[in-house]
Amino acid sequence: MAMSCKDGKTGSLDNGKYVRYTPEQVEALERLYHECPKPSSIRRQQLIRECPILSNIEPKQIKVWFQNRRCREKQRKEASRLQAVNRKLTAMNKLLMEENDRLQKQVSQLVYENGYFRQHTQSTTLATKDTSCESVVTSGQHHLTPQHPPRDASPAGLLSIAEETLTEFLSKATGTAVEWVQMPGMKPGPDSVGIVAISHGCSGVAARACGLVGLEPTRVAEILKDRPSWFRDCRAVEVLNVLPTANGGTIELLYMQLYALTTLAPARDFWLLRYTSVLEDGSLVVCERSLKNIQNGPTMPPVQHFVRAEMLPSGYLIRPCEGGGSIIHIVDHMDLEPWSVPEVLRPLYESSTVLAQKTTMAALRQLRQMAQEVTQSSVNGWGRRPAALRALSQRGFNEAVNGFTDEGWTVMGNDGMDDVTVLVNSSPDKLMGLNLSFANGFPAVSNAVLCAKASMLLQNVPPAILLRFLREHRSEWADNNIDVYSAAAIKVGPCSLPGSRVGTFGSQVILPLAHTIEHEEFMEVIKLEGVGHSPEDAIMPRDMFLLQLCSGMDENAVGTCAELIFAPIDASFADDAPLLPSGFRIIPLDSGKETSSPNRTLDLASALEIGPAGNRATNNYSTNSTCMRSVMTIAFEFAFESHMQEHVATMARQYVRSIISSVQRVALALSPSNISSQAGLRTPLGTPEALTLARWICHSYRCYLGVDLLKSSSEGSESILKNLWHHTDAVMCCSLKALPVFTFANQAGLDMLETTLVALQDITLEKIFDDHGRKALFAEFPQIMQQGFACLQGGICLSSMGRPVSYERAVAWKVLNEEETAHCICFMFINWSFV
């Protein structure tokens, strides 16, 4: 038998003859194919009975037709994919050729300038022999900054400014007005976000990006003009005036406000001119610049609590691409007035890398995300929730960090310490829709919102690693009593979500909701089990649900802000529902690339236990010797009754201070200097109990299996523990209980389970196996207890994060104590890896 994939009317080759189908038969088969592309033998026979038109066709011929049809469908999809890749590569090749031409022009200009400066240097050398007063005065006057007269802001003057802005922007986007260097960590290619560069040696901070997006130019311009929809730090953009131009373009006068990144610096605002026009080649241009030193026109006076920053000629060059889509050049060039912030924060306002990450690349990511959403439907019942994502990060957390008075926030007096700032908001706009009306039949009486916030400097800890630990180990810093209060204050009721499940952990991700294309941020629902309380029964614990946003989890990204923001929700949660977000924001202050082991948080909790000796000894971690600095901002919001204001304020201050203390412990344990230093430190694994357990494990293994578990010949307890801890296979012990739980694991075991020594005791043995694995394991338990050991076949188990782990084989043996009685069961998973 052979198959043909060329024609829908060609069914099969049987005994050397083609079987041809009539148009009616093909139509019937196509209809059946769309219902079931791969029917079983029984289903194919049923099809023949149900469709008389197919009664003269053998079931084997029907089977071959479906095989051919699936083959054609696969070929069609592959051809479509290759065509799309070819179009993308063609556009990218054009973009790279243009970039190459620009670089050649820049090289030519640099060669010319080098020759000019060489001649000028020789002339200056001769001129310096003249020490006359005139020469000295002339030399000094060369550095005076010229004073420009005010610009005319009448309609004709604004058009002149707009055309000048357009020329300067294009010289930056495609010319050599700015010396661009490739952004560290960015590798251009068809799958990258684009070609990203940062400025070198120009005034202010500047970034440029070039990329291909699958949207038409007019749609691209529409999205980019709506800056608050994609730029999280943008509080508002107000268009105050619109002027049409004779060439069909428009001039707009804008006032824009940006949120402050931390509680330690004021927010920024801009008074802008935006010019939209179409070039002769059909390209669409949107360019902007600040309006400074103007007369005879509208102005924007300084606004309280904002520092007026300057936008130098910036914008977007959007060109249509053959085959659909657009090629876009983005330039962001700003002077963020770094003098207005504490010196320790100035790198944030003087770094072009930070500007590229937060603004330039954010625009490209938004365009790529919008293009993808055009062609894809929602991934689940909740969809992608862009409004909810903005509500968490923009309308919620940024408002809490900034606490603007025009939004109703007022600052409370401190308690003698100024480390934590407390604000109160009782405005109707803040309270409206916060589930504060009637929830589950019970009236809510909370009528105000309190925010406690603080910022702290972190030394030598990567933001991505710290944030990942805070996300994965909530119990290390969160207070269940506070979670109970937060749930009760806004009347969070029981929540029934698609995909929810019951588990044994204190917090559990039950529903990933959304992620960006680059997977640099994602939104999820987590369940805190037994935390909330129902209004009907204040004694019975109920599950509490949080909507949570995580971003900046990529350890290799440069200058990336890491955020973990969450808010209580219930089943009535709507897409645009107001929220009370709380959480963390960590911003690196050093632009150097962070290099660290991705496994460093997996055993972090072991460095946080148990008493004064709680730090780790030397481990073979690969870390950067340079000092990494970052600033963390913490903000927590609480709904409360007005007469409880002082009590809630005291509680909030204490809670934030306890979180700061917990974060400091975590950061200290993560610090490479503390990890690599042994002075005054003692590993928690070096306790007498751990040393004794290691000795029992190795002794029992030798007794039952007749060989040594460890290759080292040293007999010292500390050497045994060290070698066991660094054993390449995953070694872990579980208790001898009706429901065995893990009590110990070496480094490989913690990595395999994706957990820590502290969290390890929350994991039961049966949770890491599926039904087949549990049955096989329980069948071997009698042999382990009677014979003392058992060899298990290879299979699949699950980490604590739900990831499948394959192992080649496993060994289980009974661990005997000094009295030769069973202390625990030890497992060793050999040659394991994540699937």
Side-chain angles (χ1 to χ4, degrees):
M1 182 188 298
M3 292 183 293
S4 173
C5 298
K6 297 180 181 179
D7 193 339
K9 295 183 181 181
T10 302
S12 65
L13 286 168
D14 194 7
N15 296 328
K17 297 181 179 180
Y18 279 96
V19 177
R20 299 263 177 194
Y21 300 94
T22 65
E24 293 78 10
Q25 289 175 330
V26 172
E27 182 179 356
L29 288 170
E30 285 286 348
R31 186 171 59 253
L32 297 172
Y33 174 82
H34 289 294
E35 295 176 0
C36 181
K38 197 173 183 180
S40 63
S41 176
I42 298 176
R43 177 59 176 154
R44 290 195 297 269
Q45 293 177 359
Q46 183 182 356
L47 293 177
I48 294 175
R49 290 194 301 269
E50 293 176 353
C51 297
I53 197 172
L54 302 176
S55 59
N56 63 331
I57 302 177
E58 295 292 330
K60 185 169 69 173
Q61 296 169 351
I62 297 289
K63 176 182 179 180
V64 173
W65 186 92
F66 273 91
Q67 289 175 335
N68 292 343
R69 181 63 178 83
R70 291 193 299 272
C71 180
R72 291 195 305 274
E73 181 69 17
K74 184 177 180 181
Q75 289 178 339
R76 183 190 65 80
K77 290 182 178 179
E78 181 64 13
S80 177
R81 186 188 70 82
L82 291 176
Q83 288 174 357
V85 170
N86 183 63
R87 288 195 301 268
K88 190 171 184 179
L89 290 173
T90 301
M92 186 63 69
N93 180 62
K94 181 180 179 182
L95 198 61
L96 291 173
M97 290 176 64
E98 293 175 354
E99 180 69 4
N100 185 57
D101 291 340
R102 189 193 67 80
L103 291 174
Q104 288 180 347
K105 291 179 183 177
Q106 186 171 344
V107 168
S108 300
Q109 181 176 342
L110 290 173
V111 170
Y112 170 78
E113 290 177 355
N114 183 54
Y116 171 78
F117 284 126
R118 185 172 295 174
Q119 278 187 339
H120 182 69
T121 302
Q122 293 175 352
S123 301
T124 304
T125 303
L126 295 175
T128 53
K129 295 180 180 180
D130 181 6
T131 58
S132 65
C133 179
E134 181 182 359
S135 298
V136 174
V137 173
T138 304
S139 177
Q141 290 176 348
H142 178 73
H143 299 285
L144 294 178
T145 302
Q147 297 293 325
H148 297 290
R151 300 290 299 270
D152 179 25
S154 65
L158 290 177
L159 179 59
S160 175
I161 296 174
E163 293 291 346
E164 181 182 303
T165 303
L166 173 62
T167 302
E168 292 187 37
F169 159 67
L170 291 177
S171 69
K172 297 176 184 179
T174 60
T176 59
V178 173
E179 182 180 351
W180 300 109
V181 296
Q182 182 173 309
M183 181 174 166
M186 294 299 299
K187 295 182 179 179
D191 296 323
S192 68
V193 67
I195 304 172
V196 184
I198 56 177
S199 62
H200 175 69
C202 74
S203 62
V205 291
R208 186 184 70 122
C210 313
L212 174 67
V213 294
L215 297 169
E216 295 304 313
T218 53
R219 178 59 178 152
V220 172
E222 178 185 343
I223 293 171
L224 293 175
K225 283 185 174 184
D226 186 16
R227 194 178 260 112
S229 69
W230 56 266
F231 186 27
R232 303 272 173 76
D233 295 341
C234 183
R235 185 189 184 207
V237 174
E238 184 179 359
V239 180
L240 300 179
N241 201 357
V242 180
L243 301 173
T245 62
N247 60 2
T250 57
I251 296 174
E252 301 166 281
L253 301 184
L254 312 175
Y255 175 64
M256 180 173 70
Q257 293 181 342
L258 302 184
Y259 288 109
L261 301 177
T262 76
T263 62
L264 304 176
R268 265 53 183 162
D269 65 354
F270 297 82
W271 173 233
L272 301 173
L273 176 145
R274 182 165 68 192
Y275 181 36
T276 305
S277 62
V278 179
L279 303 181
E280 293 180 357
D281 63 356
S283 300
L284 183 60
V285 178
V286 180
C287 56
E288 299 172 323
R289 80 176 307 157
S290 287
L291 287 174
K292 294 178 62 178
N293 195 25
I294 60 173
Q295 62 183 7
N296 303 326
T299 60
M300 176 60 64
V303 179
Q304 188 179 13
H305 305 304
F306 286 87
V307 170
R308 183 63 50 86
E310 180 182 4
M311 180 179 291
L312 288 82
S314 307
Y316 317 104
L317 171 62
I318 313 164
R319 293 181 294 181
C321 182
E322 296 180 8
S326 304
I327 296 175
I328 181 171
H329 292 71
I330 302 176
V331 172
D332 290 303
H333 193 177
M334 300 180 184
D335 183 352
L336 296 173
E337 306 294 343
W339 59 265
S340 62
V341 303
E343 186 173 355
V344 69
L345 294 181
R346 288 182 187 175
L348 294 180
Y349 297 84
E350 296 174 339
S351 170
S352 294
T353 299
V354 173
L355 177 69
Q357 283 281 2
K358 295 188 67 65
T359 308
T360 315
M361 295 174 64
L364 270 183
R365 290 192 188 102
Q366 174 71 5
L367 293 172
R368 287 163 60 92
Q369 187 75 20
M370 296 291 288
Q372 186 187 59
E373 291 180 1
V374 167
T375 58
Q376 290 186 358
S377 58
S378 297
V379 294
N380 52 49
W382 280 47
R384 293 188 176 273
R385 296 284 185 188
L389 193 148
R390 289 195 300 272
L392 273 178
S393 182
Q394 182 176 346
R395 291 204 314 265
F397 192 73
N398 273 327
E399 289 181 6
V401 169
N402 287 263
F404 293 118
T405 55
D406 60 0
E407 292 173 349
W409 291 102
T410 58
V411 180
M412 291 184 61
N414 60 43
D415 58 350
M417 302 174 62
D418 59 357
D419 57 332
V420 178
T421 303
V422 176
L423 302 94
V424 176
N425 193 332
S426 56
S427 65
D429 291 340
K430 182 67 176 176
L431 300 173
M432 189 177 298
L434 284 175
N435 284 338
L436 296 174
S437 55
F438 289 84
N440 299 327
F442 285 77
V445 292
S446 299
N447 53 16
V449 175
L450 181 143
C451 175
K453 59 183 182 177
S455 292
M456 58 186 294
L457 182 67
L458 300 174
Q459 294 278 0
N460 214 18
V461 55
I465 292 181
L466 175 57
L467 192 83
R468 189 172 69 184
F469 181 84
L470 296 176
R471 171 181 174 259
E472 295 176 359
H473 304 283
R474 183 181 177 87
S475 61
E476 290 292 335
W477 57 266
D479 187 333
N480 281 349
N481 294 326
I482 303 297
D483 289 333
V484 169
Y485 174 84
S486 300
I490 65 170
K491 299 296 181 185
V492 173
C495 181
S496 176
L497 300 173
S500 61
R501 62 178 184 267
V502 177
T504 59
F505 304 105
S507 63
Q508 188 177 44
V509 177
I510 62 170
L511 184 60
L513 294 181
H515 59 78
T516 62
I517 296 173
E518 288 78 23
H519 300 278
E520 292 185 355
E521 68 178 16
F522 53 91
M523 190 164 58
E524 59 194 1
V525 172
I526 65 172
K527 177 170 61 176
L528 308 180
E529 297 181 351
V531 171
H533 293 269
S534 66
E536 298 86 353
D537 188 345
I539 299 177
M540 292 298 294
R542 303 293 293 267
D543 295 337
M544 176 181 174
F545 294 88
L546 299 177
L547 183 64
Q548 181 164 276
L549 170 70
C550 307
S551 63
M553 304 288 281
D554 182 5
E555 298 174 32
N556 297 316
V558 180
T560 302
C561 169
E563 291 182 332
L564 179 66
I565 304 171
F566 44 86
I569 59 171
D570 65 5
S572 64
F573 174 69
D575 185 47
D576 57 351
L579 299 169
L580 279 185
S582 301
F584 309 89
R585 172 181 290 156
I586 313 174
I587 309 172
L589 296 175
D590 304 297
S591 58
K593 186 175 180 181
E594 299 169 1
T595 57
S596 56
S597 168
N599 295 325
R600 281 178 56 189
T601 62
L602 297 181
D603 67 333
L604 174 58
S606 65
L608 303 180
E609 55 175 42
I610 294 170
N615 216 320
R616 293 191 51 79
T618 303
N619 281 289
N620 294 324
Y621 291 139
S622 174
T623 57
N624 193 351
S625 59
T626 33
C627 177
M628 295 171 288
R629 298 181 307 160
S630 57
V631 59
M632 170 183 274
T633 297
I634 304 170
F636 279 75
E637 292 188 277
F638 307 91
F640 69 98
E641 304 172 35
S642 57
H643 70 277
M644 296 286 291
Q645 177 170 309
E646 292 297 330
H647 173 75
V648 175
T650 301
M651 177 269 294
R653 285 192 183 97
Q654 293 175 350
Y655 186 42
V656 170
R657 284 170 183 156
S658 71
I659 291 174
I660 291 174
S661 177
S662 298
V663 169
Q664 288 173 338
R665 285 193 303 122
V666 172
L668 182 63
L670 276 174
S671 172
S673 60
N674 284 334
I675 289 176
S676 60
S677 172
Q678 299 185 48
L681 299 179
R682 172 178 166 230
T683 171
L685 292 174
T687 60
E689 294 81 3
L691 297 172
T692 301
L693 178 60
R695 186 160 40 84
W696 289 348
I697 291 172
C698 297
H699 176 74
S700 300
Y701 185 89
R702 183 169 58 250
C703 289
Y704 288 119
L705 284 88
V707 294
D708 288 326
L709 175 62
L710 305 176
K711 296 181 181 179
S712 174
S713 59
S714 176
E715 295 295 331
S717 296
E718 292 186 4
S719 177
I720 292 175
L721 177 57
K722 180 180 178 181
N723 291 331
L724 179 64
W725 178 253
H726 293 294
H727 199 285
T728 55
D729 294 322
V731 179
M732 53 194 75
C733 298
C734 66
S735 60
L736 291 172
K737 298 181 179 179
L739 189 62
V741 298
F742 287 105
T743 58
F744 169 81
N746 67 350
Q747 179 64 70
L750 295 176
D751 291 350
M752 172 179 157
L753 295 178
E754 294 189 294
T755 187
T756 69
L757 283 177
V758 171
L760 183 68
Q761 299 180 14
D762 295 328
I763 304 175
T764 59
L765 179 62
E766 65 173 12
K767 282 296 179 181
I768 73 169
F769 291 101
D770 56 15
D771 291 338
H772 175 74
R774 278 193 292 268
K775 291 178 181 178
L777 177 63
F778 293 155
E780 298 289 345
F781 247 91
Q783 179 182 347
I784 298 173
M785 298 307 296
Q786 294 174 10
Q787 182 177 315
F789 75 97
C791 296
L792 309 176
Q793 295 181 351
I796 300 289
C797 62
L798 299 175
S799 75
S800 64
M801 305 300 291
R803 282 211 289 172
V805 181
S806 67
Y807 55 94
E808 184 179 293
R809 54 194 173 91
V811 179
W813 68 97
K814 186 167 53 174
V815 177
L816 304 177
N817 59 19
E818 303 288 357
E819 289 78 26
E820 297 296 322
T821 59
H823 175 76
C824 61
I825 299 292
C826 193
F827 292 87
M828 182 167 64
F829 295 88
I830 301 170
N831 293 336
W832 65 272
S833 62
F834 290 109
V835 178

